[in-house]
Amino acid sequence: MDTAVPTAKLTPGSVALLGLPWDAMSTHMRGPAEAPSAIREALHGGSANLWSERGRDLGEHPRFVDMGDVKLPEDVAALDAISEAVQSVLSRGAKPLVLGGDHAVTLGVLRAVAQRWSPLTVLHVDAHPDLYASYEGNPFSHACPFARALEEGLVSRLVQVGIRTLNGHQREQVERFGVEVIEAHAFDPNEQLGLVGPVYVSIDLDGLDPAFAPGVSHHEPGGLSTRDVLRLLNQLPKSVVGADVVELNPRRDLHGMTAMVAAKLAKELACRLLDERDPLSSAP
Ligand code: MN
Ligand code: MN
Protein backbone atom coordinates (compact mmCIF):
# COMPACT_ATOMS: atom_id res chain seq x y z
CA MET A 1 0.00 0.00 0.00
CA ASP A 2 1.31 3.43 -0.89
CA THR A 3 1.37 5.43 2.31
CA ALA A 4 3.62 8.24 1.13
CA VAL A 5 2.41 11.71 2.00
CA PRO A 6 3.22 14.69 -0.22
CA THR A 7 5.79 16.70 1.69
CA ALA A 8 6.77 19.16 -1.05
CA LYS A 9 4.95 22.08 0.57
CA LEU A 10 6.64 21.60 3.94
CA THR A 11 9.41 23.90 5.04
CA PRO A 12 11.30 23.88 8.35
CA GLY A 13 8.92 24.96 11.11
CA SER A 14 5.78 24.09 9.13
CA VAL A 15 2.88 22.49 10.90
CA ALA A 16 1.63 19.49 8.95
CA LEU A 17 -2.02 18.57 9.53
CA LEU A 18 -2.25 14.82 9.04
CA GLY A 19 -5.47 12.79 9.14
CA LEU A 20 -5.28 9.19 10.37
CA PRO A 21 -8.67 7.60 9.62
CA TRP A 22 -8.09 4.39 11.61
CA ASP A 23 -10.28 2.90 14.33
CA ALA A 24 -9.53 -0.82 14.00
CA MET A 25 -8.12 -0.94 17.54
CA SER A 26 -11.28 0.47 19.18
CA THR A 27 -12.85 -1.84 21.76
CA HIS A 28 -16.38 -0.55 22.19
CA MET A 29 -17.58 0.88 18.90
CA ARG A 30 -16.23 2.08 15.59
CA GLY A 31 -16.49 5.60 14.23
CA PRO A 32 -13.27 7.55 14.93
CA ALA A 33 -12.03 6.68 11.42
CA GLU A 34 -14.59 9.23 10.22
CA ALA A 35 -13.16 11.94 12.45
CA PRO A 36 -10.53 13.63 10.26
CA SER A 37 -13.07 14.66 7.63
CA ALA A 38 -15.55 15.79 10.32
CA ILE A 39 -12.87 17.95 11.96
CA ARG A 40 -11.84 19.49 8.63
CA GLU A 41 -15.50 20.25 7.95
CA ALA A 42 -15.74 22.02 11.31
CA LEU A 43 -12.52 23.95 10.63
CA HIS A 44 -13.65 25.16 7.22
CA GLY A 45 -17.43 25.08 7.64
CA GLY A 46 -17.77 28.83 7.65
CA SER A 47 -19.43 29.21 11.06
CA ALA A 48 -16.13 30.35 12.61
CA ASN A 49 -12.91 31.90 11.38
CA LEU A 50 -9.45 30.39 11.43
CA TRP A 51 -7.95 32.83 13.90
CA SER A 52 -6.52 31.47 17.13
CA GLU A 53 -7.38 33.09 20.44
CA ARG A 54 -3.84 34.47 20.51
CA GLY A 55 -4.23 36.27 17.22
CA ARG A 56 -2.79 34.05 14.53
CA ASP A 57 -4.71 33.55 11.29
CA LEU A 58 -4.25 29.95 10.19
CA GLY A 59 -6.27 30.62 7.07
CA GLU A 60 -3.51 32.84 5.74
CA HIS A 61 -0.56 31.09 7.32
CA PRO A 62 2.01 29.78 4.80
CA ARG A 63 3.46 27.33 7.31
CA PHE A 64 0.12 25.64 8.17
CA VAL A 65 -0.15 22.84 5.61
CA ASP A 66 -2.94 20.26 5.33
CA MET A 67 -1.38 17.01 4.12
CA GLY A 68 -4.70 15.18 3.81
CA ASP A 69 -5.32 11.69 5.15
CA VAL A 70 -2.89 8.78 5.25
CA LYS A 71 -4.21 5.61 3.60
CA LEU A 72 -4.07 2.91 6.24
CA PRO A 73 -4.66 -0.86 6.26
CA GLU A 74 -7.18 -2.34 8.72
CA ASP A 75 -4.61 -4.37 10.63
CA VAL A 76 -1.86 -3.39 13.00
CA ALA A 77 0.51 -2.76 10.07
CA ALA A 78 -1.15 0.65 10.06
CA LEU A 79 1.16 1.61 12.93
CA ASP A 80 4.19 1.29 10.63
CA ALA A 81 2.45 3.34 7.95
CA ILE A 82 1.67 6.02 10.53
CA SER A 83 5.28 6.13 11.72
CA GLU A 84 6.47 6.40 8.13
CA ALA A 85 4.13 9.30 7.38
CA VAL A 86 5.18 11.17 10.52
CA GLN A 87 8.84 10.49 9.77
CA SER A 88 8.47 12.07 6.36
CA VAL A 89 6.99 15.19 8.00
CA LEU A 90 9.80 15.36 10.57
CA SER A 91 12.47 14.84 7.92
CA ARG A 92 11.41 18.15 6.36
CA GLY A 93 11.88 19.93 9.68
CA ALA A 94 8.10 20.20 10.08
CA LYS A 95 5.89 19.30 13.02
CA PRO A 96 2.99 16.83 12.90
CA LEU A 97 -0.50 17.85 14.02
CA VAL A 98 -2.39 14.58 13.88
CA LEU A 99 -6.15 14.09 13.68
CA GLY A 100 -7.18 10.56 14.76
CA GLY A 101 -8.51 7.99 14.55
CA ASP A 102 -8.70 6.24 17.87
CA HIS A 103 -5.94 6.55 20.46
CA ALA A 104 -4.05 3.55 19.09
CA VAL A 105 -2.62 5.87 16.40
CA THR A 106 -0.50 7.67 19.01
CA LEU A 107 1.92 4.75 19.35
CA GLY A 108 2.79 4.97 15.66
CA VAL A 109 3.21 8.74 15.92
CA LEU A 110 5.40 8.54 19.04
CA ARG A 111 7.67 5.92 17.48
CA ALA A 112 8.56 8.50 14.83
CA VAL A 113 8.63 11.58 17.06
CA ALA A 114 10.86 9.91 19.68
CA GLN A 115 13.41 9.08 16.99
CA ARG A 116 13.73 12.78 16.27
CA TRP A 117 13.21 14.22 19.77
CA SER A 118 14.61 12.65 22.90
CA PRO A 119 14.13 12.77 25.83
CA LEU A 120 10.48 13.42 25.12
CA THR A 121 7.83 14.70 27.53
CA VAL A 122 4.21 13.86 26.76
CA LEU A 123 1.18 15.77 28.03
CA HIS A 124 -1.79 13.40 27.76
CA VAL A 125 -5.38 14.52 28.33
CA ASP A 126 -7.81 11.62 28.73
CA ALA A 127 -10.48 10.05 30.94
CA HIS A 128 -8.45 6.83 30.67
CA PRO A 129 -4.76 6.20 31.33
CA ASP A 130 -4.50 3.81 28.32
CA LEU A 131 -1.88 1.82 30.19
CA TYR A 132 -3.26 -1.72 29.95
CA ALA A 133 -0.57 -4.34 29.37
CA SER A 134 -3.13 -5.85 26.98
CA TYR A 135 -6.85 -5.35 26.50
CA GLU A 136 -9.15 -8.13 25.33
CA GLY A 137 -6.04 -9.95 24.15
CA ASN A 138 -4.80 -7.06 22.02
CA PRO A 139 -1.61 -5.25 23.12
CA PHE A 140 -2.24 -2.59 20.44
CA SER A 141 -5.79 -1.78 21.57
CA HIS A 142 -6.62 1.88 22.02
CA ALA A 143 -6.56 1.07 25.76
CA CYS A 144 -2.81 0.29 25.61
CA PRO A 145 -0.74 2.83 23.61
CA PHE A 146 1.02 4.48 26.54
CA ALA A 147 2.05 1.13 28.06
CA ARG A 148 3.73 0.27 24.75
CA ALA A 149 5.31 3.72 24.39
CA LEU A 150 6.80 3.53 27.90
CA GLU A 151 8.06 -0.05 27.42
CA GLU A 152 9.70 0.99 24.16
CA GLY A 153 11.41 3.91 25.91
CA LEU A 154 9.77 6.49 23.64
CA VAL A 155 8.64 8.74 26.49
CA SER A 156 10.76 9.89 29.39
CA ARG A 157 8.10 11.89 31.23
CA LEU A 158 4.38 11.18 30.89
CA VAL A 159 1.93 13.62 32.49
CA GLN A 160 -1.71 12.52 32.34
CA VAL A 161 -4.52 14.97 33.09
CA GLY A 162 -8.24 14.35 33.55
CA ILE A 163 -7.97 10.65 34.41
CA ARG A 164 -11.02 9.18 36.18
CA THR A 165 -11.08 5.46 35.40
CA LEU A 166 -8.03 4.02 37.18
CA ASN A 167 -8.46 0.41 38.26
CA GLY A 168 -6.07 -1.83 40.20
CA HIS A 169 -4.09 -3.00 37.17
CA GLN A 170 -3.66 0.48 35.76
CA ARG A 171 -2.64 1.88 39.17
CA GLU A 172 0.11 -0.76 39.17
CA GLN A 173 1.15 0.33 35.69
CA VAL A 174 1.28 3.98 36.87
CA GLU A 175 3.65 2.92 39.67
CA ARG A 176 5.69 0.66 37.42
CA PHE A 177 6.32 3.34 34.79
CA GLY A 178 6.43 6.37 37.09
CA VAL A 179 3.58 8.12 35.30
CA GLU A 180 2.50 11.51 36.72
CA VAL A 181 -1.28 11.32 36.95
CA ILE A 182 -3.47 14.31 37.71
CA GLU A 183 -6.84 12.71 38.26
CA ALA A 184 -9.92 14.72 37.33
CA HIS A 185 -10.99 14.98 40.99
CA ALA A 186 -7.69 16.66 41.88
CA PHE A 187 -7.35 18.81 38.76
CA ASP A 188 -6.54 22.47 39.35
CA PRO A 189 -6.61 24.49 36.12
CA ASN A 190 -4.04 26.91 37.56
CA GLU A 191 -1.49 24.25 38.48
CA GLN A 192 1.75 24.70 36.56
CA LEU A 193 3.00 21.43 35.13
CA GLY A 194 6.56 22.63 34.49
CA LEU A 195 6.88 21.02 31.08
CA VAL A 196 10.30 21.62 29.49
CA GLY A 197 12.28 20.35 26.51
CA PRO A 198 10.58 18.66 23.57
CA VAL A 199 6.90 18.19 24.45
CA TYR A 200 4.31 16.14 22.57
CA VAL A 201 0.62 16.69 23.34
CA SER A 202 -1.99 13.94 22.99
CA ILE A 203 -5.62 14.89 23.51
CA ASP A 204 -8.25 12.17 23.79
CA LEU A 205 -11.53 14.05 23.54
CA ASP A 206 -13.12 11.87 26.22
CA GLY A 207 -10.84 13.66 28.69
CA LEU A 208 -13.37 16.46 28.41
CA ASP A 209 -16.70 16.04 30.15
CA PRO A 210 -19.35 14.49 27.86
CA ALA A 211 -21.28 17.73 28.35
CA PHE A 212 -18.58 19.48 26.32
CA ALA A 213 -17.63 16.61 24.03
CA PRO A 214 -20.51 14.14 23.58
CA GLY A 215 -19.18 12.75 20.30
CA VAL A 216 -16.87 10.10 21.75
CA SER A 217 -17.21 6.32 22.07
CA HIS A 218 -16.71 6.21 25.85
CA HIS A 219 -18.78 8.71 27.83
CA GLU A 220 -17.10 9.26 31.19
CA PRO A 221 -18.79 11.95 33.29
CA GLY A 222 -16.84 14.28 35.57
CA GLY A 223 -14.28 15.53 33.09
CA LEU A 224 -12.58 18.73 32.01
CA SER A 225 -14.22 21.68 30.33
CA THR A 226 -13.13 22.96 26.94
CA ARG A 227 -11.69 26.01 28.72
CA ASP A 228 -9.72 23.79 31.14
CA VAL A 229 -8.00 22.14 28.18
CA LEU A 230 -7.36 25.49 26.47
CA ARG A 231 -5.72 26.72 29.69
CA LEU A 232 -3.47 23.66 29.68
CA LEU A 233 -2.46 24.43 26.09
CA ASN A 234 -1.76 28.04 27.04
CA GLN A 235 0.81 26.99 29.61
CA LEU A 236 2.73 24.82 27.16
CA PRO A 237 6.33 25.80 26.50
CA LYS A 238 7.26 26.90 22.99
CA SER A 239 9.13 23.64 22.52
CA VAL A 240 6.07 21.65 21.46
CA VAL A 241 7.17 19.29 18.70
CA GLY A 242 3.93 17.56 17.78
CA ALA A 243 0.37 16.87 18.86
CA ASP A 244 -2.69 14.76 18.26
CA VAL A 245 -6.43 15.08 18.79
CA VAL A 246 -8.04 11.65 18.87
CA GLU A 247 -11.20 9.66 19.62
CA LEU A 248 -13.78 11.93 18.02
CA ASN A 249 -16.63 9.62 17.03
CA PRO A 250 -18.84 11.53 14.56
CA ARG A 251 -21.52 8.77 14.81
CA ARG A 252 -22.10 9.82 18.44
CA ASP A 253 -21.81 13.56 17.92
CA LEU A 254 -24.65 16.05 18.36
CA HIS A 255 -24.89 18.67 15.61
CA GLY A 256 -21.14 18.44 15.07
CA MET A 257 -20.48 19.99 18.50
CA THR A 258 -17.57 17.72 19.38
CA ALA A 259 -16.07 18.07 15.91
CA MET A 260 -16.06 21.81 16.59
CA VAL A 261 -14.30 21.29 19.92
CA ALA A 262 -11.72 19.11 18.14
CA ALA A 263 -11.27 21.79 15.47
CA LYS A 264 -10.82 24.49 18.12
CA LEU A 265 -8.21 22.46 19.99
CA ALA A 266 -6.43 21.66 16.72
CA LYS A 267 -6.39 25.35 15.86
CA GLU A 268 -4.89 26.34 19.21
CA LEU A 269 -2.40 23.46 19.05
CA ALA A 270 -1.35 24.59 15.57
CA CYS A 271 -0.55 28.00 16.98
CA ARG A 272 1.52 26.57 19.81
CA LEU A 273 3.39 24.47 17.22
CA LEU A 274 4.04 27.54 15.08
CA ASP A 275 5.50 29.46 18.05
CA GLU A 276 8.98 28.13 17.82
CA ARG A 277 11.76 27.88 20.30
CA ASP A 278 14.65 25.43 20.44
CA PRO A 279 12.97 22.24 21.71
CA LEU A 280 16.11 21.19 23.53
CA SER A 281 16.29 24.41 25.51
CA SER A 282 15.33 24.05 29.16
CA ALA A 283 13.67 27.48 29.19
CA PRO A 284 9.85 27.26 29.29
MN1 MN B 1 -7.27 7.48 25.17
MN1 MN C 1 -10.19 7.94 26.65
Side-chain angles (χ1 to χ4, degrees):
M1 180 173 292
D2 179 22
T3 55
V5 291
T7 55
K9 287 187 193 160
L10 296 178
T11 53
S14 291
V15 173
L17 192 71
L18 205 56
L20 301 178
W22 192 56
D23 61 8
M25 300 294 118
S26 285
T27 54
H28 179 55
M29 57 176 65
R30 305 289 290 261
E34 296 161 21
S37 58
I39 298 171
R40 284 198 187 85
E41 210 173 293
L43 268 176
H44 303 292
S47 81
N49 62 41
L50 278 163
W51 286 72
S52 76
E53 292 190 353
R54 287 181 161 193
R56 262 190 199 277
D57 185 2
L58 292 174
E60 298 294 324
H61 205 292
R63 286 192 290 121
F64 182 59
V65 182
D66 191 343
M67 315 281 295
D69 290 350
V70 183
K71 283 187 199 139
L72 296 168
E74 265 285 292
D75 63 9
V76 80
L79 289 174
D80 295 332
I82 291 168
S83 299
E84 214 174 289
V86 174
Q87 256 162 21
S88 61
V89 166
L90 293 166
S91 69
R92 304 278 299 185
K95 301 174 178 181
L97 175 53
V98 168
L99 307 177
D102 70 35
H103 220 154
V105 303
T106 301
L107 178 60
V109 179
L110 286 175
R111 281 174 175 166
V113 171
Q115 255 179 34
R116 173 70 187 82
W117 299 111
S118 177
L120 186 66
T121 292
V122 174
L123 172 63
H124 167 203
V125 175
D126 206 323
H128 315 92
D130 295 349
L131 287 169
Y132 279 98
S134 178
Y135 195 81
E136 295 176 345
N138 179 8
F140 299 104
S141 158
H142 73 153
C144 306
F146 292 94
R148 297 291 85 74
L150 289 158
E151 285 165 2
E152 293 179 21
L154 309 178
V155 179
S156 59
R157 183 182 176 203
L158 176 59
V159 181
Q160 300 186 321
V161 181
I163 307 299
R164 49 199 188 277
T165 56
L166 279 170
N167 58 12
H169 167 64
Q170 294 203 94
R171 283 188 194 280
E172 280 170 23
Q173 293 284 76
V174 165
E175 289 300 315
R176 178 181 162 207
F177 293 116
V179 181
E180 296 170 50
V181 181
I182 301 173
E183 293 185 68
H185 68 77
F187 174 69
D188 170 358
N190 297 313
E191 183 177 339
Q192 294 297 308
L193 301 178
L195 306 173
V196 292
V199 176
Y200 182 88
V201 182
S202 184
I203 300 181
D204 180 330
L205 288 162
D206 69 32
L208 283 81
D209 193 274
F212 294 89
V216 296
S217 299
H218 303 262
H219 289 157
E220 193 64 46
L224 309 186
S225 71
T226 308
R227 183 53 55 190
D228 288 336
V229 178
L230 290 169
R231 287 208 176 98
L232 279 173
L233 302 188
N234 267 332
Q235 66 150 284
L236 286 171
K238 289 190 174 182
S239 52
V240 185
V241 296
D244 64 57
V245 179
V246 299
E247 294 284 351
L248 169 66
N249 187 340
R251 298 179 191 176
R252 301 263 273 175
D253 207 359
L254 302 172
H255 307 295
M257 285 167 60
T258 314
M260 205 64 191
V261 172
K264 170 112 182 161
L265 296 176
K267 214 160 61 168
E268 297 301 323
L269 281 165
C271 292
R272 300 307 290 151
L273 289 163
L274 287 166
D275 285 341
E276 291 191 75
R277 187 176 292 171
D278 175 9
L280 297 175
S281 152
S282 59

